[in-house]
Amino acid sequence: MIKSAVVPVAGHGTRLLPATKSQPKEMLPVARKPIVQYVVEELVANGIEQVLFITGRNKTSIENHFDHDPELTRALNESNKKELLEELDFKGYNDTKFFYTRQRMQKGLGDAILCGENFAGEMPFLVALGDSILGLNADSKTVANMAELFVSKRASCVIAVEEVPHAETRHYGIVRPEGKTGDSFRVVDLVEKPDSKDAPSNLAIAGRYIFSPLIFDMIRRVKPDKRGEIQVTDAIRLLCEEGKRVLAVKLPPGEKRYDIGNFPSYFETFVEFALADPVYGEKFRAVLHDILGQSKSK
Ligand code: UTP
């Protein structure tokens, strides 16, 4: 099974400026938690035991977030706020090992993953984008399904994919399936941000990948794109070209990938998660209803 995950969080997050000028986008809150906490909770619930964050400058708040804070613990204990202390822990948190390394220059996702080479060693590993949540409240089991498929089919790579509207393929990395697609299928090529008329499908890469260590050699062979970035999709293409088994798993019906990398999607995610909050959701729904009623009558 897959026990190790690499979580790249080193990007500049320019699409979320000025919010990300001095804080990582992965630490922006969605309802009551920072985005990256949902990611880690999902991974732990899917059997991951150790996580390597690929960080950069301005990202130390991520390390602090997953560290014990004795002063805060003491203050909460002394002021009898034990329920808040419990909120700081999540299931499996204390058993998870966290590692950190820096990507010195932000040269793209492929380059970020390469920073995990020593951590992965000879074992297959998961890559989970630090700015993408799977499922409402990160309740996805997709990574466990991917891991099962990776092992049973002796794959070199398994990618999570989601259906997107045909008109929007230009925003995503799109896979070319071999023949008809079921819940899982073989991928023969990938195209980065194709126009809808050129898109080989409407199935977009959804921020979770399992790789054999073979991927590192492929990444090293990839040439930088016109923005100077090493793209992991190009490395996966090389796996396809070499005839390696690259498979995809579709997110199950009703499961969404929440990509927090741009404002429209971040706003949508925040509202959806806040509405689903067990404590504050109902009240928020009423407030939202009023706000929408007022804006309609203007
Ligand atoms: P994005 O493709 O959203 O890039 O990264 P970005 O640089 O963060 O954002 P923009 O385009 O400037 O707005 C997807 C994930 O990969 C990480 C990011 O931190 C994010 O979690 N990443 C990206 C790296 O770790 N290193 C990179 O060089 C690029």
Side-chain angles (χ1 to χ4, degrees):
M1 275 292 134
I2 313 296
K3 305 277 183 212
S4 303
V6 171
V7 180
V9 291
H12 289 305
T14 50
R15 286 168 296 158
L16 293 181
L17 282 169
T20 49
K21 182 166 178 247
S22 63
Q23 68 173 332
K25 73 171 155 184
E26 297 81 4
M27 283 300 289
L28 292 178
V30 163
R32 281 195 271 164
K33 295 179 218 168
I35 292 155
V36 71
Q37 182 172 336
Y38 291 100
V39 175
V40 170
E41 286 183 26
E42 172 210 326
L43 302 190
V44 171
N46 280 268
I48 294 297
E49 294 175 359
Q50 50 174 4
V51 177
L52 171 71
F53 287 102
I54 311 294
T55 74
R57 280 172 295 280
N58 285 336
K59 303 280 180 171
T60 44
S61 58
I62 296 177
E63 293 181 40
N64 293 339
H65 188 72
F66 291 104
D67 197 5
H68 184 59
D69 183 341
E71 227 171 278
L72 178 63
T73 305
R74 197 176 330 115
L76 292 176
N77 266 325
E78 280 167 11
S79 52
N80 256 333
K81 290 184 175 155
K82 292 226 164 54
E83 72 288 352
L84 286 179
L85 262 183
E86 279 161 27
E87 296 234 354
L88 292 182
D89 284 344
F90 54 84
K91 203 162 171 268
Y93 166 65
N94 287 314
D95 303 321
T96 309
K97 292 198 169 61
F98 295 100
F99 299 85
Y100 302 87
T101 189
R102 279 196 182 196
Q103 182 188 21
R104 289 205 189 116
M105 286 169 73
Q106 278 57 55
K107 288 193 292 185
L109 183 56
D111 180 70
I113 294 170
L114 201 52
C115 299
E117 187 168 17
N118 286 357
F119 170 79
E122 298 299 310
M123 299 300 285
F125 63 101
L126 173 78
V127 170
L129 299 192
D131 64 352
S132 285
I133 302 171
L134 285 199
L136 190 60
N137 286 317
D139 60 2
S140 169
K141 288 282 166 279
T142 295
V143 161
N145 296 338
M146 291 165 67
E148 225 173 275
L149 195 73
F150 183 91
V151 174
S152 66
K153 301 280 184 202
R154 296 167 184 271
S156 294
C157 167
V158 178
I159 313 167
V161 295
E162 61 167 347
E163 284 188 30
V164 297
H166 280 280
E168 290 178 21
T169 53
R170 67 183 184 285
H171 301 301
Y172 301 94
I174 300 289
V175 299
R176 183 189 298 280
E178 181 188 60
K180 278 206 159 124
T181 63
D183 295 343
S184 63
F185 55 90
R186 185 160 182 168
V187 172
V188 289
D189 198 9
L190 300 96
V191 191
E192 205 40 76
K193 302 190 171 66
D195 276 342
S196 53
K197 61 176 182 2
D198 306 320
S201 74
N202 68 330
L203 295 164
I205 302 173
R208 302 289 181 270
Y209 316 73
I210 294 176
F211 293 116
S212 83
L214 203 58
I215 194 68
F216 298 117
D217 281 339
M218 300 298 140
I219 296 174
R220 268 189 282 273
R221 281 169 51 189
V222 168
K223 302 231 163 23
D225 64 9
K226 48 184 184 299
R227 297 196 317 175
E229 295 192 349
I230 309 281
Q231 297 300 348
V232 73
T233 39
D234 290 335
I236 305 172
R237 290 188 84 178
L238 289 175
L239 285 177
C240 294
E241 273 172 35
E242 301 234 323
K244 303 292 180 205
R245 193 167 288 156
V246 176
L247 305 175
V249 170
K250 274 192 209 167
L251 302 192
E255 182 168 311
K256 274 208 247 173
R257 172 225 186 165
Y258 297 90
D259 168 13
I260 293 82
N262 60 76
F263 279 121
S265 172
Y266 174 53
F267 293 162
E268 207 181 307
T269 305
F270 194 110
V271 170
E272 212 173 308
F273 279 54
L275 286 172
D277 189 286
V279 179
Y280 302 103
E282 215 167 300
K283 183 106 187 278
F284 179 54
R285 187 175 300 275
V287 171
L288 204 57
H289 198 263
D290 283 353
I291 296 173
L292 291 174
Q294 282 165 19
S295 66
K296 219 187 251 173
S297 55
K298 268 185 195 158

